[in-house]
Structures are given as structure tokens and as C-alpha cells.
Amino acid sequence: MIGPVQNVKVGQIFTSRRALHDENVHRGLMRGIAPQGSSIVLSGGYIDDIDEGELIIYTGEGGRDPETGRQRTDQTLTGGNAALAKNYVEGNPVRVNRGGNLDSKFAPDSGYRYDGLYMIDSYWSKKGRDGFAIWRYRLVRLEGQPPLGQVEDEGDQEDIGVSSFGTVTPARSNVTTSRVIRNSAVGNKVKQIYDYKCQICGISLETPAGPYAECCHIRPLGKPHNGPDTLDNVLCLCPNHHVLFDSHAIHLSDEFYVVETGEEIRIEREHNLNAEHIQYHRNLVSVKT
Ligand SMILES: [Zn+2]
């Protein structure tokens, strides 16, 4: 079950994993990632996790020595890790819970706290501190929720009217979101250069409002990637190729062809791509060229 849970408030404390499970906030008693990746628990199990409250860099599951807690094999994009990747691609929110054992100033004093919905805005793989590949997910908290640690008011619950049968239907259970399309001067520029045609397939979508293309950042914006919003770090792509690029289905070689398909991409003279950004994107999942 994706999204909010009926009768559970953001900020609510649960005494145990069993209680989280029984209330359907996080199904399962051991794993950090619930079935379908609908929720996660941060409890300090992974040394590579980063918790900045509204922003989390979360480590996927697997490959860990249960005795020492250290990584001993590479993590794979299967199970809960694949489920979180799917939620990224489909734009599904993830319920986040923090445990009292978490080494973070955002951890509750004890038990587990449901901290509301987060969106996965990128995912990648890298060598963790123990030298094995781990999958990582950047989660950003959705706006419009009470500040972390504060319990949602009754008023925030938006009881959306009582039906003629006297039952209350919480509309909150219908929260869905999709991938965010950002607009920027750089994005407009790159679309102009290519006349809204995808640099990979040449397609421009014709809409009644005019041609449509998307600006794709090669090295992702924001922590921890900190890619720049500059012309040498963007591509003009159709939505299909944008999704394939961001989800690591395709990558570019240093010679500007698509590694996975061999297609050459179109590059205009005034568009100088920075090879370091292209390498950075490949290295997010260690693609060999
Ligand atoms: Zn395309």
C-alpha cells in the first residue's frame, strides 16, 4: 500500500517494529525496506546512510554481515532495492520511519516515529565505506507536512466530509505524485538549440501548446552530486529518453554515443558537453565503455 495510512498521523510514535507492522505503517519486522518499497525504516544499520531531516541518502539492503553490520558483498538491484528504484521511476512516495537507535539529531528518543512521505529523486550505486557496491537513494520530504518531530493536528487530517452513511472518507489516502519537470533558463536554452528535438532520437513532441522536450541534467543537481545547472551539463531529450537516462538504462560514452545501443547523439557546435559530467553519470552505476 503506497502513500499515507488511514488513521496514522505524521509524527506518531510507535513503541516497536511490531506496532509499526500491525498498523500497516511498515510491514515486516526485520527489513528496512517494506514490500513494494512502500516504506523504509532508518535505524542506524548502515554506516553510509546520511540523515539531514528533510533530505535522506538511504542505503539499500543486502550484502551485510549480521554480526558486525559491515558490508561483505556487493548489493544487487533486486528485492527491496529494485522496489525503491521502481518507486523512483513511477513517482511513488515512500513512508519514512526513524528509529530511536538512529545516530541522527532527527531520531526520536525511543521507539519509532512515522515521519511522513518522501519522494525518491535519484538513485545510484557506488562503493560504500567497506569497499563493496551499495545502492543509494536520495529521498526528499514532500511539502505540506508538519515539521519533523511534530505530530500532525487533527485539523491537518482534512476530514473530507461525511457520506450519507455516516462514514468518513480520508482523501489523503489518494496522494500520488509524479516526476518533477523543472524549468530553467539553461533548460530553455538547450531546447532552443535543438529546436525541441531529442538529441538521441530526433523526435519533437507536437502539442497544441507548441513543441515539447525536456532538459535532462547529466550530473544530477543537489546533494550529494552537486551537478551544475549549466549548458555543459544538460541534454535536450524527449520524455522517453529522459526517463531512460535518469533511471540508468542508458549512458553516454566519451565519444557521445549511447553506450547501451551504439546510437550517436546529435551535438550542435554551440553545445559543449563536459566529459567529466558524462563520466560522473556513467560512474553512478559503474558502466564500462
Ligand atoms: Zn528521444
Side-chain angles (χ1 to χ4, degrees):
M1 195 173 34
I2 298 285
V5 177
Q6 211 168 340
N7 302 322
V8 170
K9 291 178 180 178
V10 175
Q12 191 171 331
I13 301 278
F14 298 83
T15 51
S16 63
R17 285 288 300 261
R18 167 60 69 180
L20 277 179
H21 172 85
D22 288 346
E23 297 293 335
N24 294 320
V25 180
H26 184 87
R27 299 291 292 173
L29 299 178
M30 297 296 290
R31 295 164 81 164
I33 305 172
Q36 280 86 54
S38 57
S39 59
I40 59 171
V41 172
L42 279 84
S43 56
Y46 287 93
I47 57 169
D48 294 289
D49 282 355
I50 297 170
D51 184 13
E52 295 189 354
E54 307 281 321
L55 171 69
I56 297 165
I57 311 295
Y58 185 73
T59 307
E61 64 185 14
R64 206 165 57 120
D65 188 326
E67 300 291 315
T68 64
R70 311 302 293 251
Q71 288 297 127
R72 58 180 180 188
T73 57
D74 289 343
Q75 291 185 346
T76 56
L77 197 60
T78 54
N81 298 343
L84 290 180
K86 190 164 193 284
N87 287 338
Y88 157 73
V89 171
E90 299 194 342
N92 292 324
V94 176
R95 291 186 298 276
V96 168
N97 304 280
R98 286 183 172 81
N101 291 336
L102 181 66
D103 180 20
S104 158
K105 65 175 177 177
F106 301 101
D109 294 336
S110 64
Y112 295 86
R113 188 183 62 223
Y114 170 55
D115 281 334
L117 300 177
Y118 285 64
M119 298 302 298
I120 301 173
D121 85 349
S122 60
Y123 77 97
W124 64 99
S125 151
K126 65 161 241 177
K127 285 237 188 301
R129 282 198 242 170
D130 287 329
F132 294 99
I134 55 173
W135 285 93
R136 314 201 81 191
Y137 303 85
R138 183 182 196 268
L139 292 117
V140 180
R141 197 162 187 253
L142 277 177
E143 286 175 19
Q145 304 184 92
L148 277 175
Q150 198 168 305
V151 183
E152 191 174 13
D153 288 335
E154 289 297 336
D156 294 342
Q157 296 247 5
E158 285 174 42
D159 294 319
I160 349 323
V162 176
S163 78
S164 51
F165 301 105
T167 52
V168 176
T169 4
R172 290 193 316 147
S173 56
N174 298 327
V175 171
T176 54
T177 63
S178 58
R179 297 182 321 116
V180 177
I181 302 300
R182 296 184 185 85
N183 193 10
S184 71
V186 167
N188 292 339
K189 177 73 183 164
V190 78
K191 290 176 207 172
Q192 263 171 26
I193 291 176
Y194 293 96
D195 194 21
Y196 291 81
K197 291 189 176 73
C198 175
Q199 285 179 254
I200 297 175
C201 67
I203 285 176
S204 169
L205 297 185
E206 296 302 329
T207 81
Y212 179 83
E214 294 182 358
C215 168
C216 168
H217 285 86
I218 300 169
R219 177 177 180 145
L221 300 171
K223 269 191 179 180
H225 312 295
N226 301 318
D229 190 24
T230 52
L231 200 56
D232 67 354
N233 187 38
V234 295
L235 298 169
C236 174
L237 296 181
C238 69
N240 285 357
H241 279 115
H242 193 181
V243 169
L244 290 174
F245 191 88
D246 281 357
S247 64
H248 298 294
I250 57 174
H251 301 84
L252 294 186
S253 75
D254 289 345
E255 295 79 31
F256 307 128
Y257 61 83
V258 179
V259 174
E260 288 76 6
T261 64
E263 292 163 284
E264 248 187 89
I265 72 161
R266 185 177 150 203
I267 313 256
E268 292 294 337
R269 193 178 295 272
E270 57 191 303
H271 188 203
N272 288 310
L273 283 175
N274 186 329
E276 280 180 28
H277 299 324
I278 289 171
Q279 286 157 13
Y280 187 95
H281 177 253
R282 282 204 309 270
N283 289 336
L284 285 173
V285 290
S286 43
V287 175
K288 309 266 185 305
T289 56

